[in-house]
Each structure stands twice: as structure tokens, then as C-alpha cells.
Amino acid sequence: MELKKNKMEYQIAFIVGIILLSLSLFLVYKNVVFLKNSERAKGEVVELKKIHRSTSKPTFKPVFKFVTKDGKVIEHTSISSSNPPSWKVGEKAVYAYKIENPSKGKVVTFFGVFGWSVALACIALPMLVIGGGYYLSQSMLNTIFDNLYH
């Protein structure tokens, strides 16, 4: 019975790995399509919002200001914060947005665009290696034992 339990854990790891890798690839595709079909605006960091946490040091969220092609001013606050700040006031950035909804754009950085895809792939790949490795090793071991005992 213990062997079946272990086998099931490897199956679950492999299936979850496939799901997470698929989601990662879907997000890459979605973001590439977004970048391909979006407008760009140049802007800069105008402020670092201080985020106070009760249990740790404060972190800082960059606030960007961009001007779209039609002259609309967009202020975009990053969803992530860090200490030390990852941006400096005055630092330049590129913003990708859809003409129909410029406030729902993204700052064009590798992790700003592909961060979730990379994070999901980093979780998925070890699960695929562990889950798939179990089946490959079982197949190889069964072949070796079959050859030894027959």
C-alpha cells in the first residue's frame, strides 16, 4: 500500500507540473501578443510610495508618469514593492498600453512582463523532473530487474 501512495504523489507532482508549465506558456503567449499589439509611451518614475508593514521594514513602490500618443497623462503605480527600492525617482521607463484602455498597461521590463511566467516555470520544471523522473527510473529499474531474474 505504501508503494501506491508514493506512486500517486509522483503522479500528482507530474500533473501539477504540466498544468503550471502550460499556464506559464499561456502567459508568455498572452504577454507577447499584448506587447505586439500595444502602443508605447515613454515616462519616468515621479515618486516612491513608502509602504509600511507592521512586522518588517517599509518597502517602496515606484509611481510612473507616462504621456500617451493622444496626450493623456497616465500615472501607474507598480504592484510590487521592495527595500531597497528597485527604481529611483527620475529613472526612465517604457509603458505598453492598449489605446482603448491606457490605464491597464504594463511597464516594459523583463520581470514586469514575464515575471509570473518565469515564477510558474520555476515551480513547474522541478515537479516535472521529479514526477517524470520517477516513471523513467521505474521503467529502467524494471528492465534491469527483469533482465537479472529472467
mmCIF file of all heavy atoms in Angstrom, residues 51-102:
data_model
loop_
_atom_site.group_PDB
_atom_site.id
_atom_site.type_symbol
_atom_site.label_atom_id
_atom_site.label_comp_id
_atom_site.label_asym_id
_atom_site.label_seq_id
_atom_site.Cartn_x
_atom_site.Cartn_y
_atom_site.Cartn_z
ATOM 1 N N ILE A 51 5.582 51.985 1.709
ATOM 2 C CA ILE A 51 4.576 51.042 2.197
ATOM 3 C C ILE A 51 5.018 50.573 3.576
ATOM 4 O O ILE A 51 6.073 49.952 3.721
ATOM 5 C CB ILE A 51 4.437 49.824 1.249
ATOM 6 C CG1 ILE A 51 4.212 50.265 -0.197
ATOM 7 C CG2 ILE A 51 3.342 48.891 1.736
ATOM 8 C CD1 ILE A 51 2.973 51.069 -0.427
ATOM 9 N N HIS A 52 4.208 50.883 4.571
ATOM 10 C CA HIS A 52 4.547 50.495 5.950
ATOM 11 C C HIS A 52 3.943 49.138 6.274
ATOM 12 O O HIS A 52 2.772 48.900 6.026
ATOM 13 C CB HIS A 52 4.025 51.539 6.945
ATOM 14 C CG HIS A 52 4.692 52.857 6.794
ATOM 15 N ND1 HIS A 52 5.937 53.121 7.304
ATOM 16 C CD2 HIS A 52 4.301 53.995 6.168
ATOM 17 C CE1 HIS A 52 6.282 54.355 7.019
ATOM 18 N NE2 HIS A 52 5.313 54.916 6.316
ATOM 19 N N ARG A 53 4.760 48.289 6.818
ATOM 20 C CA ARG A 53 4.299 46.973 7.277
ATOM 21 C C ARG A 53 4.592 46.900 8.767
ATOM 22 O O ARG A 53 5.632 47.355 9.223
ATOM 23 C CB ARG A 53 5.030 45.863 6.535
ATOM 24 C CG ARG A 53 4.901 45.993 5.018
ATOM 25 C CD ARG A 53 5.146 44.672 4.351
ATOM 26 N NE ARG A 53 5.311 44.756 2.927
ATOM 27 C CZ ARG A 53 4.331 44.909 2.048
ATOM 28 N NH1 ARG A 53 3.103 45.036 2.462
ATOM 29 N NH2 ARG A 53 4.582 44.933 0.759
ATOM 30 N N SER A 54 3.697 46.281 9.473
ATOM 31 C CA SER A 54 3.844 46.250 10.925
ATOM 32 C C SER A 54 4.971 45.331 11.388
ATOM 33 O O SER A 54 5.533 45.531 12.452
ATOM 34 C CB SER A 54 2.531 45.819 11.577
ATOM 35 O OG SER A 54 2.166 44.528 11.134
ATOM 36 N N THR A 55 5.311 44.327 10.580
ATOM 37 C CA THR A 55 6.295 43.337 11.034
ATOM 38 C C THR A 55 7.671 43.472 10.392
ATOM 39 O O THR A 55 8.576 42.734 10.746
ATOM 40 C CB THR A 55 5.780 41.913 10.748
ATOM 41 O OG1 THR A 55 5.554 41.795 9.340
ATOM 42 C CG2 THR A 55 4.505 41.622 11.512
ATOM 43 N N SER A 56 7.831 44.381 9.442
ATOM 44 C CA SER A 56 9.135 44.489 8.788
ATOM 45 C C SER A 56 9.422 45.932 8.392
ATOM 46 O O SER A 56 8.627 46.829 8.614
ATOM 47 C CB SER A 56 9.167 43.591 7.547
ATOM 48 O OG SER A 56 8.209 44.036 6.610
ATOM 49 N N LYS A 57 10.580 46.115 7.786
ATOM 50 C CA LYS A 57 10.966 47.447 7.312
ATOM 51 C C LYS A 57 10.011 47.886 6.204
ATOM 52 O O LYS A 57 9.462 47.050 5.489
ATOM 53 C CB LYS A 57 12.398 47.422 6.764
ATOM 54 C CG LYS A 57 13.456 47.141 7.805
ATOM 55 C CD LYS A 57 14.836 47.394 7.234
ATOM 56 C CE LYS A 57 15.325 46.189 6.468
ATOM 57 N NZ LYS A 57 16.708 46.346 5.990
ATOM 58 N N PRO A 58 9.849 49.190 6.045
ATOM 59 C CA PRO A 58 8.982 49.657 4.953
ATOM 60 C C PRO A 58 9.585 49.318 3.590
ATOM 61 O O PRO A 58 10.800 49.174 3.446
ATOM 62 C CB PRO A 58 8.923 51.170 5.168
ATOM 63 C CG PRO A 58 10.119 51.500 5.974
ATOM 64 C CD PRO A 58 10.424 50.284 6.803
ATOM 65 N N THR A 59 8.709 49.164 2.597
ATOM 66 C CA THR A 59 9.137 48.929 1.225
ATOM 67 C C THR A 59 8.661 50.088 0.360
ATOM 68 O O THR A 59 7.879 50.923 0.819
ATOM 69 C CB THR A 59 8.587 47.595 0.696
ATOM 70 O OG1 THR A 59 7.171 47.613 0.784
ATOM 71 C CG2 THR A 59 9.133 46.418 1.497
ATOM 72 N N PHE A 60 9.132 50.117 -0.881
ATOM 73 C CA PHE A 60 8.842 51.247 -1.753
ATOM 74 C C PHE A 60 8.291 50.772 -3.094
ATOM 75 O O PHE A 60 8.850 49.874 -3.718
ATOM 76 C CB PHE A 60 10.117 52.068 -1.989
ATOM 77 C CG PHE A 60 10.704 52.599 -0.726
ATOM 78 C CD1 PHE A 60 11.638 51.853 -0.014
ATOM 79 C CD2 PHE A 60 10.312 53.823 -0.218
ATOM 80 C CE1 PHE A 60 12.178 52.321 1.173
ATOM 81 C CE2 PHE A 60 10.845 54.314 0.962
ATOM 82 C CZ PHE A 60 11.776 53.561 1.667
ATOM 83 N N LYS A 61 7.176 51.414 -3.507
ATOM 84 C CA LYS A 61 6.565 51.144 -4.805
ATOM 85 C C LYS A 61 6.837 52.329 -5.718
ATOM 86 O O LYS A 61 6.510 53.460 -5.363
ATOM 87 C CB LYS A 61 5.045 51.005 -4.679
ATOM 88 C CG LYS A 61 4.555 49.726 -4.128
ATOM 89 C CD LYS A 61 3.038 49.689 -4.204
ATOM 90 C CE LYS A 61 2.553 48.322 -3.786
ATOM 91 N NZ LYS A 61 1.157 48.124 -4.133
ATOM 92 N N PRO A 62 7.374 52.066 -6.906
ATOM 93 C CA PRO A 62 7.580 53.183 -7.830
ATOM 94 C C PRO A 62 6.255 53.636 -8.452
ATOM 95 O O PRO A 62 5.388 52.818 -8.745
ATOM 96 C CB PRO A 62 8.507 52.597 -8.889
ATOM 97 C CG PRO A 62 8.288 51.127 -8.836
ATOM 98 C CD PRO A 62 7.915 50.812 -7.423
ATOM 99 N N VAL A 63 6.123 54.943 -8.613
ATOM 100 C CA VAL A 63 4.980 55.528 -9.295
ATOM 101 C C VAL A 63 5.520 56.155 -10.584
ATOM 102 O O VAL A 63 6.419 56.997 -10.538
ATOM 103 C CB VAL A 63 4.278 56.596 -8.432
ATOM 104 C CG1 VAL A 63 3.119 57.221 -9.178
ATOM 105 C CG2 VAL A 63 3.812 55.995 -7.109
ATOM 106 N N PHE A 64 4.985 55.721 -11.716
ATOM 107 C CA PHE A 64 5.439 56.172 -13.026
ATOM 108 C C PHE A 64 4.432 57.169 -13.599
ATOM 109 O O PHE A 64 3.233 57.045 -13.369
ATOM 110 C CB PHE A 64 5.548 54.991 -13.993
ATOM 111 C CG PHE A 64 6.498 53.926 -13.547
ATOM 112 C CD1 PHE A 64 6.066 52.865 -12.753
ATOM 113 C CD2 PHE A 64 7.825 53.965 -13.921
ATOM 114 C CE1 PHE A 64 6.934 51.873 -12.353
ATOM 115 C CE2 PHE A 64 8.713 52.973 -13.523
ATOM 116 C CZ PHE A 64 8.268 51.928 -12.739
ATOM 117 N N LYS A 65 4.939 58.104 -14.382
ATOM 118 C CA LYS A 65 4.067 59.026 -15.109
ATOM 119 C C LYS A 65 4.425 58.923 -16.584
ATOM 120 O O LYS A 65 5.597 59.047 -16.960
ATOM 121 C CB LYS A 65 4.231 60.457 -14.626
ATOM 122 C CG LYS A 65 3.206 61.410 -15.241
ATOM 123 C CD LYS A 65 3.365 62.822 -14.731
ATOM 124 C CE LYS A 65 2.586 62.932 -13.430
ATOM 125 N NZ LYS A 65 2.558 64.315 -12.921
ATOM 126 N N PHE A 66 3.397 58.654 -17.405
ATOM 127 C CA PHE A 66 3.560 58.494 -18.843
ATOM 128 C C PHE A 66 2.578 59.407 -19.565
ATOM 129 O O PHE A 66 1.527 59.731 -19.038
ATOM 130 C CB PHE A 66 3.266 57.046 -19.261
ATOM 131 C CG PHE A 66 4.131 56.045 -18.586
ATOM 132 C CD1 PHE A 66 3.690 55.356 -17.474
ATOM 133 C CD2 PHE A 66 5.415 55.778 -19.061
ATOM 134 C CE1 PHE A 66 4.492 54.427 -16.840
ATOM 135 C CE2 PHE A 66 6.224 54.853 -18.434
ATOM 136 C CZ PHE A 66 5.766 54.181 -17.323
ATOM 137 N N VAL A 67 2.927 59.790 -20.784
ATOM 138 C CA VAL A 67 2.031 60.562 -21.639
ATOM 139 C C VAL A 67 1.774 59.725 -22.885
ATOM 140 O O VAL A 67 2.719 59.372 -23.607
ATOM 141 C CB VAL A 67 2.632 61.934 -22.007
ATOM 142 C CG1 VAL A 67 1.676 62.709 -22.909
ATOM 143 C CG2 VAL A 67 2.958 62.730 -20.763
ATOM 144 N N THR A 68 0.494 59.403 -23.133
ATOM 145 C CA THR A 68 0.136 58.583 -24.286
ATOM 146 C C THR A 68 0.246 59.390 -25.576
ATOM 147 O O THR A 68 0.430 60.611 -25.546
ATOM 148 C CB THR A 68 -1.302 58.037 -24.143
ATOM 149 O OG1 THR A 68 -2.205 59.145 -24.128
ATOM 150 C CG2 THR A 68 -1.458 57.210 -22.878
ATOM 151 N N LYS A 69 0.098 58.712 -26.710
ATOM 152 C CA LYS A 69 0.194 59.373 -28.014
ATOM 153 C C LYS A 69 -0.850 60.476 -28.186
ATOM 154 O O LYS A 69 -0.609 61.447 -28.870
ATOM 155 C CB LYS A 69 0.054 58.351 -29.138
ATOM 156 C CG LYS A 69 1.290 57.531 -29.345
ATOM 157 C CD LYS A 69 1.177 56.657 -30.565
ATOM 158 C CE LYS A 69 2.489 55.910 -30.737
ATOM 159 N NZ LYS A 69 2.484 55.060 -31.910
ATOM 160 N N ASP A 70 -2.019 60.291 -27.556
ATOM 161 C CA ASP A 70 -3.067 61.313 -27.675
ATOM 162 C C ASP A 70 -2.988 62.361 -26.566
ATOM 163 O O ASP A 70 -3.902 63.154 -26.379
ATOM 164 C CB ASP A 70 -4.454 60.681 -27.746
ATOM 165 C CG ASP A 70 -4.804 59.853 -26.516
ATOM 166 O OD1 ASP A 70 -3.953 59.721 -25.615
ATOM 167 O OD2 ASP A 70 -5.928 59.329 -26.454
ATOM 168 N N GLY A 71 -1.883 62.365 -25.797
ATOM 169 C CA GLY A 71 -1.646 63.401 -24.799
ATOM 170 C C GLY A 71 -2.228 63.138 -23.414
ATOM 171 O O GLY A 71 -2.109 63.975 -22.522
ATOM 172 N N LYS A 72 -2.813 61.975 -23.212
ATOM 173 C CA LYS A 72 -3.381 61.636 -21.904
ATOM 174 C C LYS A 72 -2.258 61.261 -20.935
ATOM 175 O O LYS A 72 -1.374 60.471 -21.266
ATOM 176 C CB LYS A 72 -4.367 60.483 -22.045
ATOM 177 C CG LYS A 72 -5.110 60.157 -20.781
ATOM 178 C CD LYS A 72 -6.149 59.071 -21.021
ATOM 179 C CE LYS A 72 -6.872 58.784 -19.726
ATOM 180 N NZ LYS A 72 -7.825 57.683 -19.873
ATOM 181 N N VAL A 73 -2.301 61.839 -19.737
ATOM 182 C CA VAL A 73 -1.290 61.542 -18.717
ATOM 183 C C VAL A 73 -1.754 60.335 -17.902
ATOM 184 O O VAL A 73 -2.862 60.320 -17.370
ATOM 185 C CB VAL A 73 -1.049 62.757 -17.790
ATOM 186 C CG1 VAL A 73 -0.069 62.401 -16.678
ATOM 187 C CG2 VAL A 73 -0.534 63.937 -18.597
ATOM 188 N N ILE A 74 -0.894 59.335 -17.835
ATOM 189 C CA ILE A 74 -1.186 58.101 -17.093
ATOM 190 C C ILE A 74 -0.223 58.022 -15.923
ATOM 191 O O ILE A 74 0.986 58.163 -16.087
ATOM 192 C CB ILE A 74 -0.990 56.850 -17.982
ATOM 193 C CG1 ILE A 74 -1.880 56.891 -19.210
ATOM 194 C CG2 ILE A 74 -1.189 55.571 -17.184
ATOM 195 C CD1 ILE A 74 -3.344 56.780 -18.927
ATOM 196 N N GLU A 75 -0.770 57.786 -14.740
ATOM 197 C CA GLU A 75 0.057 57.529 -13.565
ATOM 198 C C GLU A 75 -0.129 56.061 -13.210
ATOM 199 O O GLU A 75 -1.244 55.596 -13.014
ATOM 200 C CB GLU A 75 -0.364 58.436 -12.404
ATOM 201 C CG GLU A 75 0.728 58.574 -11.376
ATOM 202 C CD GLU A 75 0.440 59.679 -10.387
ATOM 203 O OE1 GLU A 75 0.759 60.842 -10.688
ATOM 204 O OE2 GLU A 75 -0.115 59.364 -9.311
ATOM 205 N N HIS A 76 0.972 55.346 -13.173
ATOM 206 C CA HIS A 76 0.935 53.898 -12.950
ATOM 207 C C HIS A 76 1.761 53.561 -11.713
ATOM 208 O O HIS A 76 2.961 53.837 -11.682
ATOM 209 C CB HIS A 76 1.499 53.178 -14.183
ATOM 210 C CG HIS A 76 1.634 51.698 -14.018
ATOM 211 N ND1 HIS A 76 0.575 50.844 -14.209
ATOM 212 C CD2 HIS A 76 2.693 50.931 -13.671
ATOM 213 C CE1 HIS A 76 0.992 49.605 -14.000
ATOM 214 N NE2 HIS A 76 2.277 49.638 -13.670
ATOM 215 N N THR A 77 1.121 52.962 -10.716
ATOM 216 C CA THR A 77 1.828 52.509 -9.516
ATOM 217 C C THR A 77 2.117 51.022 -9.662
ATOM 218 O O THR A 77 1.217 50.232 -9.941
ATOM 219 C CB THR A 77 0.984 52.759 -8.253
ATOM 220 O OG1 THR A 77 0.665 54.145 -8.191
ATOM 221 C CG2 THR A 77 1.732 52.352 -6.995
ATOM 222 N N SER A 78 3.355 50.655 -9.476
ATOM 223 C CA SER A 78 3.760 49.255 -9.583
ATOM 224 C C SER A 78 3.034 48.414 -8.539
ATOM 225 O O SER A 78 2.746 48.883 -7.437
ATOM 226 C CB SER A 78 5.271 49.147 -9.376
ATOM 227 O OG SER A 78 5.674 47.802 -9.395
ATOM 228 N N ILE A 79 2.755 47.146 -8.881
ATOM 229 C CA ILE A 79 2.128 46.260 -7.904
ATOM 230 C C ILE A 79 3.148 45.706 -6.919
ATOM 231 O O ILE A 79 2.796 45.256 -5.846
ATOM 232 C CB ILE A 79 1.358 45.097 -8.577
ATOM 233 C CG1 ILE A 79 2.299 44.248 -9.420
ATOM 234 C CG2 ILE A 79 0.194 45.609 -9.379
ATOM 235 C CD1 ILE A 79 1.678 42.950 -9.883
ATOM 236 N N SER A 80 4.426 45.749 -7.300
ATOM 237 C CA SER A 80 5.451 45.199 -6.408
ATOM 238 C C SER A 80 6.203 46.318 -5.692
ATOM 239 O O SER A 80 6.341 47.420 -6.196
ATOM 240 C CB SER A 80 6.427 44.324 -7.197
ATOM 241 O OG SER A 80 7.098 45.090 -8.155
ATOM 242 N N SER A 81 6.655 45.976 -4.502
ATOM 243 C CA SER A 81 7.451 46.921 -3.718
ATOM 244 C C SER A 81 8.704 46.205 -3.237
ATOM 245 O O SER A 81 8.745 44.980 -3.171
ATOM 246 C CB SER A 81 6.644 47.462 -2.542
ATOM 247 O OG SER A 81 6.306 46.432 -1.650
ATOM 248 N N SER A 82 9.723 46.987 -2.899
ATOM 249 C CA SER A 82 10.973 46.379 -2.451
ATOM 250 C C SER A 82 11.721 47.327 -1.527
ATOM 251 O O SER A 82 11.462 48.523 -1.480
ATOM 252 C CB SER A 82 11.862 46.026 -3.653
ATOM 253 O OG SER A 82 12.211 47.193 -4.365
ATOM 254 N N ASN A 83 12.646 46.752 -0.789
ATOM 255 C CA ASN A 83 13.551 47.525 0.051
ATOM 256 C C ASN A 83 14.919 46.859 -0.067
ATOM 257 O O ASN A 83 15.065 45.711 0.358
ATOM 258 C CB ASN A 83 13.095 47.545 1.501
ATOM 259 C CG ASN A 83 13.918 48.498 2.335
ATOM 260 O OD1 ASN A 83 14.938 49.013 1.902
ATOM 261 N ND2 ASN A 83 13.470 48.730 3.541
ATOM 262 N N PRO A 84 15.869 47.520 -0.667
ATOM 263 C CA PRO A 84 15.887 48.892 -1.170
ATOM 264 C C PRO A 84 15.022 49.030 -2.424
ATOM 265 O O PRO A 84 14.718 48.031 -3.090
ATOM 266 C CB PRO A 84 17.354 49.143 -1.502
ATOM 267 C CG PRO A 84 17.932 47.798 -1.767
ATOM 268 C CD PRO A 84 17.154 46.841 -0.897
ATOM 269 N N PRO A 85 14.642 50.259 -2.762
ATOM 270 C CA PRO A 85 13.792 50.470 -3.942
ATOM 271 C C PRO A 85 14.476 49.972 -5.215
ATOM 272 O O PRO A 85 15.686 50.114 -5.379
ATOM 273 C CB PRO A 85 13.614 51.987 -4.002
ATOM 274 C CG PRO A 85 14.057 52.512 -2.685
ATOM 275 C CD PRO A 85 14.971 51.503 -2.086
ATOM 276 N N SER A 86 13.689 49.379 -6.097
ATOM 277 C CA SER A 86 14.245 48.874 -7.352
ATOM 278 C C SER A 86 14.325 49.959 -8.427
ATOM 279 O O SER A 86 14.956 49.753 -9.463
ATOM 280 C CB SER A 86 13.409 47.695 -7.861
ATOM 281 O OG SER A 86 12.059 48.061 -7.959
ATOM 282 N N TRP A 87 13.699 51.098 -8.197
ATOM 283 C CA TRP A 87 13.741 52.234 -9.118
ATOM 284 C C TRP A 87 14.142 53.484 -8.349
ATOM 285 O O TRP A 87 13.973 53.539 -7.140
ATOM 286 C CB TRP A 87 12.358 52.473 -9.746
ATOM 287 C CG TRP A 87 11.909 51.395 -10.674
ATOM 288 C CD1 TRP A 87 11.302 50.221 -10.329
ATOM 289 C CD2 TRP A 87 12.001 51.389 -12.090
ATOM 290 N NE1 TRP A 87 11.024 49.480 -11.438
ATOM 291 C CE2 TRP A 87 11.431 50.186 -12.544
ATOM 292 C CE3 TRP A 87 12.511 52.283 -13.024
ATOM 293 C CZ2 TRP A 87 11.365 49.852 -13.893
ATOM 294 C CZ3 TRP A 87 12.431 51.949 -14.373
ATOM 295 C CH2 TRP A 87 11.867 50.747 -14.797
ATOM 296 N N LYS A 88 14.629 54.485 -9.075
ATOM 297 C CA LYS A 88 14.966 55.783 -8.491
ATOM 298 C C LYS A 88 14.077 56.838 -9.123
ATOM 299 O O LYS A 88 13.715 56.727 -10.302
ATOM 300 C CB LYS A 88 16.424 56.142 -8.765
ATOM 301 C CG LYS A 88 17.412 55.219 -8.107
ATOM 302 C CD LYS A 88 18.828 55.590 -8.490
ATOM 303 C CE LYS A 88 19.783 54.564 -7.889
ATOM 304 N NZ LYS A 88 21.119 54.696 -8.429
ATOM 305 N N VAL A 89 13.732 57.868 -8.367
ATOM 306 C CA VAL A 89 12.959 58.977 -8.912
ATOM 307 C C VAL A 89 13.755 59.587 -10.063
ATOM 308 O O VAL A 89 14.958 59.805 -9.963
ATOM 309 C CB VAL A 89 12.646 60.029 -7.823
ATOM 310 C CG1 VAL A 89 12.007 61.274 -8.439
ATOM 311 C CG2 VAL A 89 11.739 59.436 -6.753
ATOM 312 N N GLY A 90 13.066 59.814 -11.182
ATOM 313 C CA GLY A 90 13.709 60.360 -12.371
ATOM 314 C C GLY A 90 14.156 59.309 -13.368
ATOM 315 O O GLY A 90 14.484 59.628 -14.514
ATOM 316 N N GLU A 91 14.174 58.056 -12.956
ATOM 317 C CA GLU A 91 14.588 56.988 -13.860
ATOM 318 C C GLU A 91 13.540 56.815 -14.967
ATOM 319 O O GLU A 91 12.347 56.862 -14.726
ATOM 320 C CB GLU A 91 14.743 55.683 -13.060
ATOM 321 C CG GLU A 91 15.635 54.683 -13.706
ATOM 322 C CD GLU A 91 15.993 53.523 -12.779
ATOM 323 O OE1 GLU A 91 15.756 53.591 -11.566
ATOM 324 O OE2 GLU A 91 16.514 52.545 -13.312
ATOM 325 N N LYS A 92 14.003 56.611 -16.191
ATOM 326 C CA LYS A 92 13.136 56.496 -17.367
ATOM 327 C C LYS A 92 12.609 55.075 -17.524
ATOM 328 O O LYS A 92 13.258 54.114 -17.124
ATOM 329 C CB LYS A 92 13.882 56.905 -18.639
ATOM 330 C CG LYS A 92 14.524 58.270 -18.563
ATOM 331 C CD LYS A 92 13.500 59.354 -18.537
ATOM 332 C CE LYS A 92 14.198 60.718 -18.556
ATOM 333 N NZ LYS A 92 13.424 61.753 -17.979
ATOM 334 N N ALA A 93 11.416 54.985 -18.136
ATOM 335 C CA ALA A 93 10.801 53.684 -18.367
ATOM 336 C C ALA A 93 9.927 53.751 -19.609
ATOM 337 O O ALA A 93 9.565 54.830 -20.075
ATOM 338 C CB ALA A 93 9.960 53.279 -17.162
ATOM 339 N N VAL A 94 9.598 52.573 -20.136
ATOM 340 C CA VAL A 94 8.684 52.453 -21.268
ATOM 341 C C VAL A 94 7.428 51.747 -20.763
ATOM 342 O O VAL A 94 7.495 50.784 -20.000
ATOM 343 C CB VAL A 94 9.329 51.652 -22.422
ATOM 344 C CG1 VAL A 94 8.331 51.416 -23.544
ATOM 345 C CG2 VAL A 94 10.557 52.378 -22.943
ATOM 346 N N TYR A 95 6.283 52.236 -21.212
ATOM 347 C CA TYR A 95 4.977 51.732 -20.796
ATOM 348 C C TYR A 95 4.255 51.228 -22.039
ATOM 349 O O TYR A 95 4.170 51.931 -23.049
ATOM 350 C CB TYR A 95 4.213 52.884 -20.151
ATOM 351 C CG TYR A 95 2.873 52.568 -19.560
ATOM 352 C CD1 TYR A 95 2.759 51.828 -18.394
ATOM 353 C CD2 TYR A 95 1.707 53.060 -20.140
ATOM 354 C CE1 TYR A 95 1.523 51.577 -17.828
ATOM 355 C CE2 TYR A 95 0.464 52.811 -19.575
ATOM 356 C CZ TYR A 95 0.382 52.064 -18.422
ATOM 357 O OH TYR A 95 -0.852 51.813 -17.859
ATOM 358 N N ALA A 96 3.750 49.996 -21.999
ATOM 359 C CA ALA A 96 2.959 49.437 -23.095
ATOM 360 C C ALA A 96 1.495 49.465 -22.678
ATOM 361 O O ALA A 96 1.163 49.102 -21.545
ATOM 362 C CB ALA A 96 3.400 48.017 -23.391
ATOM 363 N N TYR A 97 0.628 49.898 -23.585
ATOM 364 C CA TYR A 97 -0.789 50.022 -23.260
ATOM 365 C C TYR A 97 -1.648 49.827 -24.501
ATOM 366 O O TYR A 97 -1.188 49.960 -25.626
ATOM 367 C CB TYR A 97 -1.076 51.397 -22.641
ATOM 368 C CG TYR A 97 -0.837 52.545 -23.600
ATOM 369 C CD1 TYR A 97 -1.881 53.084 -24.338
ATOM 370 C CD2 TYR A 97 0.434 53.089 -23.767
ATOM 371 C CE1 TYR A 97 -1.673 54.123 -25.233
ATOM 372 C CE2 TYR A 97 0.659 54.134 -24.652
ATOM 373 C CZ TYR A 97 -0.396 54.642 -25.390
ATOM 374 O OH TYR A 97 -0.184 55.666 -26.268
ATOM 375 N N LYS A 98 -2.908 49.508 -24.272
ATOM 376 C CA LYS A 98 -3.897 49.431 -25.341
ATOM 377 C C LYS A 98 -4.537 50.799 -25.486
ATOM 378 O O LYS A 98 -4.847 51.453 -24.484
ATOM 379 C CB LYS A 98 -4.987 48.402 -25.018
ATOM 380 C CG LYS A 98 -4.496 46.986 -24.946
ATOM 381 C CD LYS A 98 -4.296 46.445 -26.319
ATOM 382 C CE LYS A 98 -4.032 44.953 -26.253
ATOM 383 N NZ LYS A 98 -3.969 44.372 -27.553
ATOM 384 N N ILE A 99 -4.767 51.232 -26.714
ATOM 385 C CA ILE A 99 -5.356 52.551 -26.957
ATOM 386 C C ILE A 99 -6.706 52.688 -26.262
ATOM 387 O O ILE A 99 -7.006 53.726 -25.684
ATOM 388 C CB ILE A 99 -5.495 52.808 -28.473
ATOM 389 C CG1 ILE A 99 -4.107 52.946 -29.087
ATOM 390 C CG2 ILE A 99 -6.342 54.034 -28.750
ATOM 391 C CD1 ILE A 99 -4.118 53.075 -30.589
ATOM 392 N N GLU A 100 -7.508 51.616 -26.278
ATOM 393 C CA GLU A 100 -8.846 51.677 -25.695
ATOM 394 C C GLU A 100 -8.851 51.710 -24.166
ATOM 395 O O GLU A 100 -9.854 52.059 -23.549
ATOM 396 C CB GLU A 100 -9.733 50.541 -26.206
ATOM 397 C CG GLU A 100 -9.231 49.145 -25.913
ATOM 398 C CD GLU A 100 -8.259 48.593 -26.961
ATOM 399 O OE1 GLU A 100 -7.862 49.323 -27.888
ATOM 400 O OE2 GLU A 100 -7.879 47.425 -26.822
ATOM 401 N N ASN A 101 -7.736 51.323 -23.523
ATOM 402 C CA ASN A 101 -7.679 51.318 -22.057
ATOM 403 C C ASN A 101 -6.241 51.562 -21.592
ATOM 404 O O ASN A 101 -5.590 50.653 -21.075
ATOM 405 C CB ASN A 101 -8.221 49.989 -21.522
ATOM 406 C CG ASN A 101 -8.536 50.058 -20.051
ATOM 407 O OD1 ASN A 101 -8.342 51.080 -19.401
ATOM 408 N ND2 ASN A 101 -9.030 48.961 -19.519
ATOM 409 N N PRO A 102 -5.746 52.797 -21.742
ATOM 410 C CA PRO A 102 -4.329 53.052 -21.430
ATOM 411 C C PRO A 102 -3.959 52.888 -19.958
ATOM 412 O O PRO A 102 -2.797 52.667 -19.636
ATOM 413 C CB PRO A 102 -4.107 54.490 -21.897
ATOM 414 C CG PRO A 102 -5.446 55.073 -22.090
ATOM 415 C CD PRO A 102 -6.411 53.963 -22.282
#
